[in-house]
Amino acid sequence: MNLQIEPDAPAPATAPALEVRGLVKHFPGVKALDGVDLVVHQHEVLGLAGENGAGKSTLLKALVGLVRPDAGEILVRGQQVKLRSIMDAADHGIGMVFQEQSLVPNLTVAENIVLGSEGPGVRGGLYRWDTLRGLAQEQLDKIGSHIDPLARTDTLSFADRQMVEIAKVLRIEQRSSHPPVIILDEPTSVLEPKEIDALFTQVRRLREFASVVFVSHRLDEVLDVCDRVAVLRGGRSEGEVVAQGAEPEDLHRMMIGATSSADHYHDAVCERTDAPPTPRLVVRGLTGATFQDVDLDVHAGEIVGIVGVHGSGREDVCRALFGAEATTAGEATLDGEALDLSGTRAACAAGIGYVPAERKTEGMVGPMSVADNMLLTKQSARCAGPLVRPRKQARLVDTWIERLSIRTPHRSTPIGRLSGGNQQKVVLARWLVGGDVRLLLLDHPTRGLDVGARSEVYRLMRELANSGVATVLLADSLEEAIGMSDRIVVMSDGRATAEVAAPAGGKPTPLDLVKEMV
């Protein structure tokens, strides 16, 4: 029997900041953790890597009290603890920046940052706004952010909300008397290079008085900012490496049990033929609130990347082509027919598919099943007349689960229980089940996905291009845009400022694109 050490029991002088021993967690049909061991030493940054479904998210949730393990131990500074809630974890000095974001949108930035630990910011049940603002500003200053503490959170961009999340978790310094353990789950997924640099500066500062667990699918980032990297595979501890001197390929090999593919972007899958003389998509003078006079051509079977810094307008152009963002001028045609940009229903009817960047909030309905999410925009595909035919639906969904290798216990499993990579494949399948998609708009389709899942998405994109689908790609990185695109359009300050050819064997460098972006 494991005995819980009392909170005031003295910890060994050399005890790790955080330790996990033999952690086990079962979910229906899935063994998410299978005897995981992990050690986080005092004043170090530990990287955590693994494919989607490797158990990283379950482990992190156990460390902040959101999941109760079935077996195993969690020790904080040598003392065994039972973490039953986020507040319980915070009392032990453990805080986490969540990938999905945990801010309350209708509250101010300041209210979100001090939520649950207002201290002198509240007197007599009322906010002291000057004090509240000062408390929040103190945290924002640590990460070099210029966000207004009194701004409503729902008016901020995704990237700015992520910076608020980071500022919020730093408040744990005031809550616990112990050196904190800060968990950063995919903190850089939507940040620009200068914001990433600022974050890494903060992570290195945190090392001086805290311990950090850093999770990212960008293996080069993990090796850059971490001291050691632990790898999970299939719910088990696969091993660890010292970051200094290691290469991304070393981690990739441990994650999937094989050497990284020499053709990460599956360029060999591309059946290149001469592009049709007439573009499938023609955009002229498209103008909206954040972009002006944008011209864009995309041929059938072509992947065109759009790159630009945060605020360049490229995301809004993509949304506008799907009818999700208002336009004030310009026109677009698809296969020579005028496109109705007034709404998403018209875009779907025209054969346009859209995979949004914020998968959790815009791309799927978490409590709904895999089947319902997959057929969300293709209700007729599972019906005979006005009635749903369960057998027809089951055959169709199971076909695409098999074709895309979607790992799910069953078609009726809620999509929210799947790993990020498998969720993304369900979202992509939504546009393929009807067989009528002509233009696919992909807004950061690999955001938050591990190396293996990214590779599967890349292969699917190649296969769709081979079938004649025209694709607009807003990539997760310049390297991804270069590797996957046939041509690259650069946007700056809401305008398309340059076009760069990116044929196989003649790819531009990231520096070539950066010169056009700034």
Side-chain angles (χ1 to χ4, degrees), residues 234-246:
R236 294 175 177 266
S237 300
E238 185 66 16
E240 64 179 48
V241 299
V242 176
Q244 186 175 7

Side-chain angles (χ1 to χ4, degrees), residues 159-178:
D160 284 343
R161 295 199 305 272
Q162 187 75 323
M163 299 303 281
V164 174
E165 287 273 15
I166 295 167
K168 176 182 175 181
V169 80
L170 294 181
R171 281 280 293 170
I172 200 171
E173 296 176 56
Q174 282 74 40
R175 184 180 182 89
S176 173
S177 60
H178 301 290

Side-chain angles (χ1 to χ4, degrees), residues 5 9-19 21 39-43 75-79 178-179 211:
I5 299 175
T14 58
L18 178 67
E19 187 174 3
R21 297 176 181 172
V39 176
V40 184
H41 296 299
Q42 299 276 2
H43 307 295
L75 296 91
V76 179
R77 293 172 294 278
Q79 299 180 358
H178 301 290
S211 302

